[in-house]
Amino acid sequence: MAQSDTLIRLRYRVFPDHLIGELLAKSWIDNAIPFIALIAVIAAFGSITPDFFALSNLSDLGRQVAEFGLVVLGLAIVVISGGIDLSVGAVFSLAVLFALLGVNVLAWSIPLVLVATLALGVVCGALNGMLIGYLRLRAFLTTLVTLIIFRSIYEIAFLHFSTALVSGNIDSNLWDFLGAGSVLGIPFSLLLAVLIALIWHMVLSRMRPGWRLMAVGGARRSAYNAGINVRRTVFFAYVWSSGLAALAGFLFAARLGSTGSDTGIGLEVSALTAVVLGGNSLGGGRGSVSKAVMGALLVLILTNSLINFGVTGPVTSMILGCVLIGAVFIDMRWLKNREKLLSKVYVAPTYLALPAPPRASDPGSPYALNDKLRNVEIIGQGLVEGPEDIILDRDDNLYCGTRQGDIVRFLAPDYKQHEIFAHIGGHPLGMAFDRTDNLLVCIGGMGLYQVAPDRQVTKLTDETNRRLFSIVDDSRLRLADDLDIAPDGRVYFSEATVRYEQEDWATDAVEGRGNGRVICYDPRSGTTRTEIHNLVFANGVALASDGQSFLFAEAWTCRISRYWFDGPRKGQTAPVLSNLPGYPSNINRSSDGHYWVALLGMRTPALDLAQAMPGFRRRMARRVAPDLWLYPNINTGCVIRFSETGEVKETLWDLGGVNHPMVTSVREHKGYLYLGGISNNRIGRYKLDGADPTWCALDSYWGKSA
């Protein structure tokens, strides 16, 4: 290897570029900017503000965070739903006044005051929700009007009851505890706010109401078409917003025990600043509790620090307004450019040098060109689309998957009649029958499924163990594509890539990275674990004759290897076929004890050269439209029969690509070879000379049926 190639290989091993794209693709990356800003603000003001980290100051800050954070959380819920609530400050002030009236004037019990205050918030939110959710008025103007109305009610009531509020007094330990009490040194109000925040985190990230909020905020028409009650969802978003603002007002009243003419003024601006500054999108459909909390902390620390430095209220409001404008600008620019940036850096090619391909044009080559597949018999032309894999049962019936999410069965002996054997929803890829004639299927984007003889569909697994330091979520199965079954029932299946979905499978070739793996599903324990990592487009699995190992294909490295999962060589890997003339796909047994492998496409000098030039491929991915990228050639079909020792026994070509231009699967059954192709609309059948006319793969695996 040339020194320059060694340096290139070392550079891409030491500096894995794909990590940048994977980080930008994570939903939590939106939290990075507000988190860094929060740390910077704490460090800056903590170093110049006296007693910033004193326990008394932190305790007081905790109580303020509880009250302000609840208001911000409520507003964030509305913003996530695609709306805005400018009335939260007025609702907050009304709740403060109402709570103090209940305690100091009406002498109600504390629980009754709490319930009444929350009911007040619910009524205010219901008014907003009814006008915006059901009557479909504009959120900005509507909540601006209700802000004026609620604020006017507060000022009228405050003038009327101000004397009674000042003269009233209550002696209640519970009231004092709610306002100033602590649990293990932590303010009670802060613990309550944290509990509510955790509940809402679960709602937004793990529960249907949260998903519906996100869906409504992201695209209301699409949410409506999906069956979501948009009006009800919007209605309750405003109810929760005002309810949380009322709870914050109750805690504020308990802490200070008084109110004034300026209570709640400007709170809506501060809360909105916190929501946007935390990273919640004003466009709706994007946000989280953690963002709301970070935004609340940022605004509170900034506001309190400015007050400590003697900055007047109007100046503080002006600064907050400027911060809000800046946050909105950053949010809009980030939202607009994030996908552009991600599209430029997510595809991260790496160094992949292949040896010169074998000369198939040489008559003495084991891969010598021929046209034996040109005149294969055609089955089901135009009746199926995308039969990536095919399989036959003991009764000679033929099964294949389609892009429409069906498994189609062609009935023996002439395969003229066909039926939908099962509808799964995703594109069925690799298939295998187990000992009891259940059909196990790899479904692109869905995982491993089972279809019983009575056509009952069951999900076996759609996830595996996640690696500790993996940024991309490699626990989810993105592209399980082929499988085989061990004698004890364990299922070994290949997954081509953990970075791309099925529709983008060819993009993985541009990377040439070890994104694939082989996974084991054990039906005895119901567990799934990854057996082999870092495979370059793992695309075929076949159990070896010893029952202790399997063969697996890596498409972009053009090789087939053997892995021992049991026995004295457990955990070892050995090469079987290297430097193939094309990209290997599904592997299956042959009647003479050897194996068939389908080559889904042929190597080309241009792509082979580009694989050793990751910089060129990176520039191509960033500067050229994806439909003009350099992809593998998939227009010529080829089938190879080989032994476990890597000896090529036979090669079958369709040079013109007339009847079977792409081959992704090959099955031998009773003297015939059946061909499938993910880009084809037909199944091919080729008569094998000298093959055992009684051989059935199921008998080879499980023995003759009784």
Side-chain angles (χ1 to χ4, degrees):
M1 182 184 294
Q3 184 177 4
S4 60
D5 288 346
T6 303
L7 292 176
I8 294 174
R9 180 188 292 270
L10 182 62
R11 174 258 185 269
Y12 283 94
R13 179 176 298 175
V14 175
F15 302 102
D17 297 351
H18 66 288
L19 298 181
I20 299 174
E22 290 177 359
L23 282 170
L24 288 175
K26 302 300 289 184
S27 59
W28 50 257
I29 196 64
D30 287 345
N31 296 346
I33 296 176
F35 180 76
I36 294 172
L38 178 60
I39 296 300
V41 167
I42 292 175
F45 287 108
S47 61
I48 62 177
T49 304
D51 300 326
F52 184 87
F53 295 104
L55 290 179
S56 58
N57 182 62
L58 293 178
S59 178
D60 185 55
L61 179 63
R63 291 185 172 88
Q64 294 180 55
V65 167
E67 297 154 12
F68 183 61
L70 288 173
V71 177
V72 172
L73 176 58
L75 181 55
I77 293 169
V78 170
V79 169
I80 290 172
S81 72
I84 193 170
D85 188 357
L86 300 178
S87 67
V88 289
V91 173
F92 174 85
S93 60
L94 272 178
V96 173
L97 178 62
F98 195 74
L100 292 174
L101 283 174
V103 171
N104 292 341
V105 179
L106 302 177
W108 289 348
S109 64
I110 303 302
L112 178 59
V113 172
L114 174 60
V115 172
T117 305
L118 293 177
L120 172 68
V122 168
V123 169
C124 294
L127 176 61
N128 284 330
M130 182 65 67
L131 294 173
I132 298 168
Y134 286 99
L135 299 183
R136 304 179 68 179
L137 301 182
R138 294 188 178 276
F140 183 88
L141 292 176
T142 302
T143 55
L144 180 61
V145 171
T146 54
L147 161 66
I148 297 172
I149 294 173
F150 297 156
R151 189 69 203 180
S152 300
I153 295 173
Y154 171 82
E155 291 177 353
I156 293 171
F158 176 72
L159 290 175
H160 184 74
F161 293 105
S162 58
T163 304
L165 290 175
V166 173
S167 60
N169 190 20
I170 181 175
D171 185 13
S172 171
N173 293 329
L174 177 58
W175 183 249
D176 295 337
F177 176 77
L178 292 174
S182 300
V183 178
L184 300 177
I186 303 174
F188 170 78
S189 57
L190 180 60
L191 292 175
L192 178 61
V194 168
L195 176 61
I196 294 173
L198 289 175
I199 293 173
W200 268 103
H201 171 73
M202 294 297 296
V203 170
L204 292 176
S205 62
R206 298 290 187 272
M207 299 175 68
R208 289 183 180 179
W211 300 338
R212 290 168 181 162
L213 272 173
M214 296 285 188
V216 169
R220 291 197 177 184
R221 174 58 61 182
S222 298
Y224 174 80
N225 293 336
I228 296 175
N229 191 325
V230 174
R231 295 182 177 183
R232 184 174 63 191
T233 302
V234 172
F235 174 83
F236 280 107
Y238 284 93
V239 169
W240 278 109
S241 175
S242 294
L244 290 174
L247 177 59
F250 176 84
L251 295 175
F252 180 88
R255 178 167 65 92
L256 294 185
S258 64
T259 185
S261 59
D262 60 345
T263 300
I265 290 181
L267 181 59
E268 59 280 340
V269 176
S270 299
L272 186 60
T273 303
V275 168
V276 179
L277 195 59
N280 297 282
S281 175
L282 281 176
R286 184 169 62 91
S288 67
V289 172
S290 60
K291 294 176 181 178
V293 171
M294 285 189 292
L297 283 170
L298 274 168
V299 170
L300 265 182
I301 293 173
L302 180 62
T303 303
N304 288 349
S305 299
L306 290 174
I307 293 174
N308 287 336
F309 290 133
V311 179
T312 60
V315 176
T316 300
S317 299
M318 181 185 68
I319 292 174
L320 284 180
C322 294
V323 171
L324 177 58
I325 293 175
V328 171
F329 175 78
I330 293 173
D331 176 71
M332 292 180 62
R333 300 299 298 177
W334 171 252
L335 190 63
K336 181 178 180 180
N337 296 310
R338 179 186 178 185
E339 293 301 324
K340 293 181 180 179
L341 177 62
L342 185 60
S343 65
K344 290 181 179 295
V345 302
Y346 191 81
V347 179
T350 190
Y351 181 84
L352 180 63
L354 299 177
R359 294 181 59 84
S361 58
D362 184 353
S365 169
Y367 307 109
L369 300 175
N370 57 63
D371 233 354
K372 294 182 178 180
L373 296 181
R374 175 179 290 274
N375 296 318
V376 296
E377 178 186 351
I378 301 301
I379 297 174
Q381 183 170 4
L383 300 177
V384 292
E385 184 180 351
E388 194 274 343
D389 195 12
I390 68 272
I391 195 169
L392 295 99
D393 61 21
R394 286 190 170 93
D395 297 324
D396 304 334
N397 297 311
L398 175 63
Y399 301 77
C400 72
T402 71
R403 295 187 192 279
Q404 290 75 29
D406 299 323
I407 296 177
V408 177
R409 177 165 65 180
F410 289 88
L411 303 179
D414 57 6
Y415 305 117
K416 299 296 184 182
Q417 299 182 36
H418 71 284
E419 61 181 358
I420 304 298
F421 178 68
H423 178 74
I424 297 182
H427 192 168
L429 303 177
M431 297 184 285
F433 281 106
D434 68 8
R435 190 182 299 274
T436 56
D437 293 333
N438 295 304
L439 181 60
L440 274 61
V441 190
C442 288
I443 309 296
M446 295 174 60
L448 181 65
Y449 280 69
Q450 173 186 286
V451 184
D454 63 359
R455 308 190 185 194
Q456 180 70 34
V457 178
T458 305
K459 182 183 73 175
L460 299 181
T461 181
D462 61 357
E463 61 181 6
T464 183
N465 59 300
R466 182 169 183 171
R467 284 188 291 181
L468 182 61
F469 297 106
S470 173
I471 296 175
V472 68
D473 183 7
D474 62 354
S475 64
R476 182 172 72 87
L477 301 182
R478 278 184 166 83
L479 190 49
D481 52 14
D482 194 29
L483 75 151
D484 213 343
I485 307 172
D488 60 3
R490 283 180 289 178
V491 182
Y492 291 91
F493 60 97
S494 56
E495 184 179 26
T497 175
V498 299
R499 281 172 54 84
Y500 297 98
E501 307 295 340
Q502 182 173 349
E503 62 271 15
D504 299 319
W505 66 271
T507 306
D508 194 82
V510 177
E511 284 202 353
R513 186 180 301 281
N515 297 326
R517 53 189 174 176
V518 174
I519 299 168
C520 174
Y521 167 73
D522 192 340
R524 298 168 299 184
S525 60
T527 58
T528 308
R529 59 179 176 80
T530 301
E531 192 78 20
I532 314 175
H533 288 283
N534 303 322
L535 302 181
V536 185
F537 207 81
N539 197 25
V541 174
L543 198 75
S545 57
D546 62 0
Q548 297 180 343
S549 60
F550 57 79
L551 309 182
F552 65 91
E554 293 179 87
W556 311 140
T557 57
C558 305
R559 70 187 176 206
I560 297 173
S561 305
R562 185 175 184 178
Y563 175 82
W564 280 264
F565 60 85
D566 243 336
R569 299 187 65 180
K570 182 177 181 180
Q572 297 183 23
T573 303
V576 176
L577 270 178
S578 300
N579 198 28
L580 288 164
Y583 308 108
S585 187
N586 294 7
I587 309 171
N588 289 296
R589 292 180 181 180
S590 67
S591 58
D592 58 1
H594 300 318
Y595 302 88
W596 293 101
V597 62
L599 302 189
L600 63 89
M602 295 300 111
R603 292 167 60 179
T604 59
L607 185 58
D608 278 5
L609 179 62
Q611 295 287 43
M613 302 169 63
F616 162 77
R617 298 187 340 262
R618 185 173 64 251
R619 289 191 295 273
M620 176 186 71
R622 294 181 179 181
R623 301 177 184 179
V624 181
D627 57 343
L628 299 177
W629 289 358
L630 191 61
Y631 289 117
N633 169 34
I634 57 174
N635 295 322
T636 302
C638 179
V639 170
I640 297 172
R641 183 166 58 90
F642 65 97
S643 68
E644 288 184 357
T645 59
E647 181 183 358
V648 177
K649 300 292 185 179
E650 186 177 7
T651 305
L652 308 174
W653 292 84
D654 180 6
L655 292 181
V658 176
N659 277 339
H660 230 74
M662 180 187 188
V663 185
T664 54
S665 178
V666 53
R667 298 270 186 178
E668 182 179 341
H669 182 80
K670 295 185 178 180
Y672 287 90
L673 208 59
Y674 294 83
L675 310 174
I678 196 170
S679 294
N680 298 336
N681 66 344
R682 69 199 79 177
I683 298 169
R685 184 166 76 161
Y686 173 76
K687 177 66 175 176
L688 290 170
D689 296 331
D692 184 353
T694 65
W695 187 85
C696 173
L698 272 69
D699 296 338
S700 171
Y701 276 84
W702 313 116
K704 298 282 186 178
S705 60

